[in-house]
Amino acid sequence: MLLNYIRKKMTVWWRALIFLCCVLNCVESSSPSPVLQRNKYNNSFRLTRFTRTRVQLLQRKYKEQQLGNKHFEDRSQQLKDLPLLSTDFYSWLKLTDWERLHAAFWDMQAFWNMLEWKRKQLEKEEKEHMVVRAFGTTLPQSIRHIQLDLRDLMSQVSSQVSTISSWTKPTSPTALSPQTRSKTVWDSRVEGYIILRDLDLYLTKLARDFLLLASKTHL
């Protein structure tokens, strides 16, 4: 009888141990490791840097084709539909991870919307003037590639936010009608330049955000 009693106690003990292991495993799986988080931020940094290179190449191509001068520069004009790029350094450092990622998602969506508006505008112009390009990628196609990169980045940021707090990923971005209205053909072309110019600057800032987030993720 003593042997049976000991066996029953051992069985209960093993079942309790197995149950505890399962609970711990669930807790660990629901909370990503610092290494995993750091890898996610580093992947986002690399995609941001890759997208910025694409934007810089497109900007040169756009200035040459639309403005007739690949060295064209104008820092004085702004578009109110684009996110503000000026940030106080100390305020930027004090942002919480959630605030930083949440702002990044909506800023990228704003750029996505403006790119969509400009892409459709360029496609319409090409059809009206029956422009046919036998070789190379057209401006609308290049803009579309950048939009896809931004969509991937938004998806990554949405996933990162969800690990910090409850977050429901918004529906696919839909293009909004910018409040800015072009007065002339030249104004319209300059607006496209401003979008690409500010996106280049914004992606530099976003890459810095991801580097900061990765550095805060310790082992």
Side-chain angles (χ1 to χ4, degrees):
M1 292 182 62
L2 179 60
L3 184 58
N4 288 336
Y5 175 78
I6 295 174
R7 285 176 177 173
K8 287 181 181 180
K9 285 290 184 180
M10 290 295 291
T11 301
V12 172
W13 186 84
W14 276 111
R15 286 177 179 175
L17 182 60
I18 292 172
F19 175 76
L20 180 61
C21 290
C22 291
V23 170
L24 290 175
N25 185 59
C26 290
V27 170
E28 289 177 0
S29 61
S30 64
S31 178
S33 68
V35 174
L36 182 59
Q37 277 293 89
R38 182 181 298 176
N39 288 340
K40 286 183 177 180
Y41 291 139
N42 285 334
N43 288 337
S44 295
F45 167 75
R46 283 190 287 269
L47 178 54
T48 302
R49 190 171 57 179
F50 172 79
T51 305
R52 179 172 177 259
T53 300
R54 270 187 165 177
V55 171
Q56 290 174 333
L57 292 173
L58 175 57
Q59 189 177 179
R60 287 196 288 269
K61 183 178 178 180
Y62 183 91
K63 290 192 290 186
E64 189 171 7
Q65 292 186 14
Q66 293 289 302
L67 304 176
N69 179 8
K70 64 181 180 180
H71 301 295
F72 178 88
E73 291 294 338
D74 186 348
R75 300 290 176 180
S76 63
Q77 300 192 56
Q78 307 292 329
L79 292 178
K80 58 184 177 181
D81 298 286
L82 292 174
L84 293 176
L85 297 176
S86 58
T87 306
D88 177 73
F89 178 71
Y90 293 102
S91 299
W92 175 77
L93 281 179
K94 291 179 181 178
L95 289 173
T96 65
D97 293 355
W98 187 91
E99 289 173 333
R100 198 178 302 280
L101 292 169
H102 186 262
F105 183 94
W106 292 110
D107 287 346
M108 281 190 284
Q109 176 150 342
F111 277 108
W112 190 99
N113 289 335
M114 292 296 284
L115 287 172
E116 179 75 355
W117 168 65
K118 177 52 63 176
R119 181 177 65 83
K120 289 183 176 180
Q121 192 179 70
L122 289 172
E123 287 175 345
K124 182 180 178 182
E125 290 175 5
E126 287 186 354
K127 289 179 181 178
E128 289 176 351
H129 296 86
M130 294 184 291
V131 176
V132 178
R133 299 188 185 280
F135 303 101
T137 305
T138 65
L139 290 176
Q141 289 172 337
S142 296
I143 291 175
R144 183 59 178 162
H145 292 159
I146 292 171
Q147 284 184 282
L148 292 174
D149 288 342
L150 287 178
R151 187 184 65 183
D152 289 343
L153 268 172
M154 284 190 284
S155 179
Q156 289 183 17
V157 168
S158 177
S159 173
Q160 290 156 3
V161 174
S162 66
T163 64
I164 299 174
S165 64
S166 58
W167 164 266
T168 302
K169 182 180 177 182
T171 55
S172 299
T174 54
L176 304 176
S177 299
Q179 297 177 8
T180 305
R181 288 291 180 269
S182 305
K183 296 179 179 179
T184 66
V185 173
W186 177 257
D187 290 335
S188 174
R189 292 178 177 179
V190 171
E191 284 175 354
Y193 154 76
I194 295 172
I195 294 170
L196 295 173
R197 178 202 69 192
D198 283 10
L199 180 55
D200 178 16
L201 295 172
Y202 173 74
L203 290 173
T204 302
K205 173 183 173 295
L206 184 61
R208 192 166 62 239
D209 279 330
F210 286 128
L211 282 178
L212 179 63
L213 287 165
S215 69
K216 290 167 66 177
T217 309
H218 301 293
L219 293 174

